[in-house]
Amino acid sequence: MAFKILSFIFSILLIAFQSQLCTSQTTVVKGGYWFPGSGFAVADINSALFTHLFCAFADVNPQTYQLTISSANQPQFSTFTQTVQKKNSKVKTLLSIGGGGANVNIFASMASQSSSRKSFIDSSINLARSNNFHGLDLDWEYPSDATQMTNFGSLLTEWKTAVATEAKNSGKPPLLLSAAVLYISNYYSPSVSYPIQAISNSLDWINLMAYDFFGPGWFPSATGPPAALYNPGRPESGDNGVKSWIQAGLPAKKLVLGMPFYGWSWRLVNANNNGIYAPANGAGLAGDGSIGYDQIKTFITQNNAVKVYNGSIVTDYCYSGTTWIGYDDLQSISTKVSYAKSKGLLGYFAWHVGADSNWMLSTKASQTWGA
């Protein structure tokens, strides 16, 4: 009898230990996204500074709901893992799906029925395996009503089950599953909340897009901190987002804080009124007003721009004449990474690696987190 009891206890402990191994495979995420439109070669990525790299983006076929990689991207995507592992054999790669330019209606339609969800899920697993990715990342921006949020939860639950089944049948490690999500836990309304339980049970982590709070395209009449960590008196901040997810019930270890390696520019109304929330009149630079960190560094040098770090908001900005740019520099990045670690988050990620300047931000982030 004593032997049977000991055997039973040992079995329970073994199951608990195996469960713990499964839930603690990823101990930290030092992540970065890459996309072909950046014009930055995959071979030039300093993968030694990252634990996870996201290759963006795969597309969803609007008729079949199967996941596809465009013919133009196939050569780079198919060799992505092999290429980045030359500098870091331990780096994990995830195929990212969708993105800000994707048709949200296709995602909503795909997720609305079990048959179309299955088509998406099965094809995504096949595509990830055939292109040697270690995982999949869903960037649906964004489920925008209660029904879509419910369907999003069903998609994640079924995806996780399919991934586990495929791993068991293939004998390979399960594919990692992540999702890029809005910085807060609901779509601007308590009644349109992300499915917390499904996310917690199904995803290895979520990437909080804690940026694009302010930009000249949707906030043209005043400058603003594009990726404020804190923002007294206003809801748009990374800290507010992290708190909302944790208060909603998601474990901190499922959260990865997003940081932009780019900024937004405004045209000041008055060059002498050049602080945060100063009157402005749209974009300060050509196009949509966005500018990569490497280009910001060049702008500062060429225009002898004034640089300012605001520690209460945790943002940087610079200005020259009537051109004003809000962005994250070394101190903002370091402060955010320290914040993420102190809050018990899983890590951080950057959009996007090709916009860095000589790997300054990536190096600062990795060093701040530590080994």
Side-chain angles (χ1 to χ4, degrees):
M1 178 63 73
F3 176 76
K4 288 183 178 180
I5 293 173
L6 286 172
S7 297
F8 175 75
I9 292 173
F10 177 77
S11 298
I12 294 296
L13 290 172
L14 182 61
I15 292 171
F17 177 69
Q18 290 173 333
S19 175
Q20 182 64 27
L21 282 178
C22 291
T23 58
S24 61
Q25 285 181 334
T26 302
T27 56
V28 61
V29 171
K30 298 180 178 182
Y33 281 82
W34 170 89
F35 72 106
S38 65
F40 193 86
V42 177
D44 291 336
I45 298 174
N46 187 353
S47 54
L49 298 172
F50 302 93
T51 61
H52 297 78
L53 287 166
F54 302 86
C55 181
F57 290 103
D59 310 302
V60 180
N61 183 292
Q63 280 79 43
T64 66
Y65 300 113
Q66 291 187 344
L67 197 63
T68 63
I69 297 173
S70 71
S71 57
N73 290 340
Q74 183 62 42
Q76 297 172 92
F77 282 39
S78 64
T79 57
F80 185 83
T81 301
Q82 175 188 349
T83 302
V84 298
Q85 285 193 331
K86 288 179 180 178
K87 295 178 183 176
N88 178 6
S89 61
K90 295 182 180 180
V91 70
K92 302 298 183 184
T93 62
L94 292 89
L95 177 62
S96 192
I97 303 160
N103 187 331
V104 294
N105 295 322
I106 295 175
F107 279 108
S109 180
M110 175 273 291
S112 66
Q113 296 184 27
S114 59
S115 59
S116 50
R117 291 195 298 267
K118 187 177 189 305
S119 179
F120 168 83
I121 289 167
D122 290 348
S123 64
S124 73
I125 295 172
N126 290 335
L127 203 63
R129 290 300 194 195
S130 63
N131 287 275
N132 299 309
F133 288 101
H134 301 104
L136 291 155
D137 173 61
L138 179 60
D139 188 359
W140 173 357
E141 300 182 25
Y142 300 98
S144 57
D145 61 41
T147 299
Q148 289 182 20
M149 286 296 188
T150 298
N151 293 338
F152 181 68
S154 298
L155 174 65
L156 299 185
T157 300
E158 293 163 14
W159 210 3
K160 179 67 172 181
T161 299
V163 162
T165 299
E166 187 274 341
K168 182 179 179 181
N169 292 338
S170 69
K172 298 177 181 178
L175 290 169
L176 296 167
L177 286 180
S178 67
V181 298
L182 193 64
Y183 77 103
I184 52 174
S185 63
N186 62 70
Y187 189 74
Y188 305 114
S189 167
S191 63
V192 189
S193 297
Y194 274 97
I196 301 298
Q197 199 58 55
I199 288 173
S200 182
N201 292 343
S202 305
L203 296 179
D204 292 279
W205 70 83
I206 54 173
N207 289 336
L208 267 60
M209 290 185 276
Y211 43 80
D212 291 344
F213 298 143
F214 299 94
W218 57 98
F219 197 79
S221 59
T223 64
L229 181 58
Y230 306 105
N231 204 352
R234 300 191 65 113
E236 305 97 339
S237 75
D239 178 61
N240 184 50
V242 167
K243 286 178 178 176
S244 79
W245 280 98
I246 293 174
Q247 288 170 359
L250 196 70
K253 277 297 181 186
K254 291 277 184 176
L255 299 176
V256 172
L257 181 66
M259 306 184 298
F261 282 5
Y262 66 96
W264 289 101
S265 66
W266 283 262
R267 183 71 58 197
L268 294 168
V269 171
N270 179 352
N272 294 318
N273 187 356
N274 45 42
I276 297 173
Y277 302 123
N281 184 21
L285 297 169
D288 62 2
S290 64
I291 176 172
Y293 179 68
D294 54 341
Q295 297 170 304
I296 294 171
K297 298 283 287 183
T298 300
F299 173 87
I300 291 170
T301 300
Q302 292 181 345
N303 296 276
N304 196 27
V306 178
K307 298 189 298 179
V308 181
Y309 170 71
N310 185 305
S312 60
I313 292 177
V314 185
T315 191
D316 293 88
Y317 63 92
C318 66
Y319 56 89
S320 176
T322 57
T323 303
W324 192 100
I325 304 172
Y327 65 106
D328 278 3
D329 210 328
L330 295 174
Q331 195 164 357
S332 289
I333 292 293
S334 177
T335 302
K336 288 182 176 183
V337 172
S338 294
Y339 165 91
K341 192 169 187 178
S342 71
K343 294 292 183 181
L345 307 191
L346 185 61
Y348 61 85
F349 78 90
W351 176 276
H352 61 96
V353 298
D356 204 349
S357 177
N358 197 29
W359 301 106
M360 291 174 62
L361 298 181
S362 303
T363 300
K364 174 60 74 172
S366 181
Q367 290 177 344
T368 301
W369 186 279

